[in-house]
Amino acid sequence: MSGQIKYNLDEKDIPTHWYNIMADLPVPLAPPLHPGTGQPVGPDDLAPLFPMALIMQEMSPDRDHEIPDQVRDIYKQWRPSPMFRARRLEAALDTPAKIYYKYEGVSPAGSHKPNTAIPQAYYNKQEGTKRLVTETGAGQWGSSLAYAGALFDLQVDVYMVKVSFQQKPYRKALMETYGARCVASPSNETASGRAILEQDPDSRGSLGIAISEAVEVAAQNEDAKYALGSVLNHVLMHQTVVGMEAIKQLEMAGDYPDVIVGCTGGGSNFAGIAFPFIGNKLRGGQDLRVVAVEPAACPTLTRGQFAYDYGDTGHLTPMVKMHTLGSTFIPPGFHAGGLRYHGMGPLVSHVQELGLIESKAYHQTECFAAGVQFARCEGIVPAPEANHAVKGAIDEALRCKAEGKSETILFNLCGHGHFDMQAYTDYFAGNLVDLDYDEGELAMALAGLPSVAAE
Ligand SMILES: *Cc1c(COP(=O)(O)O)cnc(C)c1O
């Protein structure tokens, strides 16, 4: 048990550019389609929702995108984030594998989300936006955008999925501390919210519903724009600072991963750590396995269809080709709220179709067991979402033990769980159950997928 456990970089090692995997893909991504016409969307179609700089990033084929100085300066508050070698966890597992983790919980909001919240607020400010409207699941994205809004003097309105709003009151308090307004979704403030409440006054909400509410408000208000914390190409690109730093940190350690593990909700923290490595491989570099881990109760990559679908329940967003459970699918109310999305980032879906990544689904209690074991070895209490990555990494380490292989495993510890201690309390009390989605509901949601002429 000797040797280094922490790999620190200097401020000057913060990447100067984000990495766009689109430049290296052997097959191009299917285009997003207009929800009304079914035709590919152009930049102007998206202009009511996003500033042009982000729309151009969304559609860009260029590999490297310069990070604005002001964004890089703000990144310096918590970046480069630390990478650790989990020596005590390795010892507890008695595995010959080496386990490294990149820790994104050091950001002000406690997760990887500020990596994209800051540039999104920056570009909006540049183009004259006054108000940002968004949705949030567990509250990590809402609090990250609230923080970014405070830095750039933007009003921030957050529609928070009702089940999380009730489970996680402190996330709302954090958003309000940063100056944002947080509303439980479905709400009475929008036509989309009212339509859901009419059908089901007790709706627990979903990310798909909350997105409809936020998009509706942004589209109807001239000075307001919409911001999304995952799924979209530009969001995944902003997160690549994580993987690019990890490449340098593993160089310091004299290592290169055989396996990368990340949890997937919409795919942004996973893409953030994995895409720079997959890019290396696509350009002729070293091969590796990449494993996406998702909840068994919302199994988008492992059970969803790869098809065009809407990003939201109200069908206000463009249709994108992705792994989806159907836009009307409402997953059960398990604790990893950040992983309760019916779809998956088109880029993550696409690289799975190309065979560049694998996916796996776990139930929540086995993920909490993994998170508790991790905390007792490494001291950091992971977010419930991050527990899926921890579980995936531990399983890889145990496989290495069974096979007698000393592989190198890297995973993204994408956030801490300090606002999620109620979930841990429930777990210790034996009150966390392994929820299964309703097969009938899933079949119905999939049957409702839009038919698309372009396919
Ligand atoms: C939002 C969030 C997720 C899920 O989103 P991705 O885009 O898939 O990363 C996972 N973990 C944490 C800690 C989050 O805040």
Side-chain angles (χ1 to χ4, degrees):
M1 281 273 298
S2 63
Q4 206 172 348
I5 61 160
K6 187 174 178 190
Y7 298 87
N8 278 338
L9 297 170
D10 296 330
E11 277 180 10
K12 66 172 171 40
D13 296 315
I14 297 175
T16 54
H17 293 71
W18 292 297
Y19 166 65
N20 180 12
I21 197 171
M22 220 101 85
D24 292 318
L25 289 175
V27 181
L29 204 61
L33 304 179
H34 192 280
T37 65
Q39 293 303 306
V41 297
D44 290 344
D45 295 314
L46 297 174
L49 296 184
F50 303 104
M52 205 39 81
L54 290 175
I55 295 170
M56 292 332 256
Q57 288 183 1
E58 186 65 19
M59 301 183 162
S60 169
D62 302 334
R63 181 175 294 131
D64 300 309
H65 288 254
E66 190 167 10
I67 304 175
D69 285 341
Q70 206 183 340
V71 171
R72 235 170 141 256
D73 275 342
I74 297 170
Y75 276 175
K76 285 176 187 165
Q77 189 187 358
W78 72 94
R79 307 213 69 83
S81 68
M83 190 186 75
F84 297 94
R85 172 133 176 224
R87 292 214 179 244
R88 290 183 298 268
L89 179 65
E90 290 169 18
L93 298 170
D94 189 26
T95 175
K98 292 186 260 186
I99 306 173
Y100 294 92
Y101 59 96
K102 182 79 167 148
Y103 184 43
E104 290 296 311
V106 292
S107 81
S111 77
H112 63 288
K113 297 271 184 7
N115 296 333
T116 185
I118 300 296
Q120 289 192 44
Y122 167 84
Y123 290 118
N124 271 287
K125 186 71 182 182
Q126 292 257 308
E127 296 186 29
T129 305
K130 298 278 185 283
R131 172 181 176 203
L132 284 175
V133 192
T134 195
E135 75 293 324
T136 196
Q140 286 121 330
W141 169 241
S143 44
S144 300
L145 194 69
Y147 172 56
L151 295 186
F152 288 98
D153 192 25
L154 293 164
Q155 182 189 331
V156 175
D157 291 300
V158 183
Y159 291 90
M160 184 169 183
V161 176
K162 195 178 278 167
V163 60
S164 293
F165 185 92
Q166 289 160 347
Q167 279 172 347
K168 299 170 199 236
Y170 296 140
R171 276 284 168 192
K172 174 178 185 248
L174 182 60
M175 289 177 230
E176 289 172 345
T177 304
Y178 289 137
R181 196 174 72 93
C182 175
V183 182
S185 166
S187 79
N188 272 315
E189 294 185 358
T190 65
S192 326
R194 287 189 296 270
I196 298 287
L197 288 173
E198 233 163 73
Q199 274 176 19
D200 179 8
D202 299 323
S203 169
R204 58 187 178 258
S206 71
L207 277 165
I209 294 169
I211 292 173
S212 294
E213 294 207 86
V215 166
E216 183 184 323
V217 173
Q220 287 174 359
N221 290 277
E222 188 62 35
D223 60 351
K225 293 271 190 261
Y226 171 64
L228 187 57
S230 184
V231 178
L232 298 177
N233 304 341
H234 68 269
V235 178
L236 274 51
M237 185 177 83
H238 296 156
Q239 293 295 349
T240 57
V241 289
V242 177
M244 285 187 285
E245 288 176 7
I247 288 176
K248 286 189 186 169
Q249 285 161 310
L250 280 170
E251 263 169 30
M252 288 172 75
D255 252 321
Y256 198 84
D258 297 295
V259 191
I260 296 179
V261 181
C263 68
T264 44
S268 75
N269 88 83
F270 170 80
I273 197 160
F275 279 6
F277 289 91
I278 295 176
N280 276 351
K281 167 174 157 170
L282 289 170
R283 294 191 303 277
Q286 201 166 320
D287 198 9
L288 79 172
R289 288 176 51 232
V290 182
V291 183
V293 183
E294 62 184 11
C298 190
T300 322
L301 281 169
T302 53
R303 287 290 318 274
Q305 276 182 27
F306 184 56
Y308 270 103
D309 195 10
Y310 301 95
D312 69 321
T313 309
H315 300 174
L316 304 174
T317 72
M319 293 180 277
V320 294
K321 197 164 186 193
M322 61 179 174
H323 286 90
T324 179
L325 300 168
S327 62
T328 56
F329 178 75
I330 299 184
F334 59 88
H335 264 289
L339 306 183
R340 287 181 75 242
Y341 184 55
H342 70 271
M344 182 53 61
L347 274 171
V348 171
S349 299
H350 187 71
V351 297
Q352 174 165 289
E353 287 305 299
L354 294 177
L356 296 168
I357 67 165
E358 309 160 26
S359 52
K360 232 174 163 172
Y362 291 109
H363 283 292
Q364 65 175 350
T365 53
E366 55 188 343
C367 293
F368 272 89
V372 168
Q373 180 175 30
F374 180 84
R376 289 177 186 176
C377 294
E378 301 294 318
I380 298 169
V381 180
E385 293 82 5
N387 281 343
H388 291 72
V390 174
K391 170 67 179 161
I394 288 178
D395 270 14
E396 289 294 332
L398 293 175
R399 176 189 55 77
C400 288
K401 181 179 175 178
E403 295 175 358
K405 286 186 180 157
S406 57
E407 291 182 13
T408 297
I409 300 165
L410 169 67
F411 77 92
N412 198 0
L413 188 61
C414 49
H416 67 64
H418 297 175
F419 288 91
D420 303 283
M421 296 317 292
Q422 186 59 47
Y424 280 86
T425 301
D426 292 346
Y427 171 69
F428 292 124
N431 293 336
L432 272 199
V433 285
D434 287 334
L435 298 161
D436 273 311
Y437 56 87
D438 185 317
E439 287 282 355
E441 235 179 79
L442 174 61
M444 246 168 62
L446 286 174
L449 286 178
S451 54
V452 167
E455 271 189 293

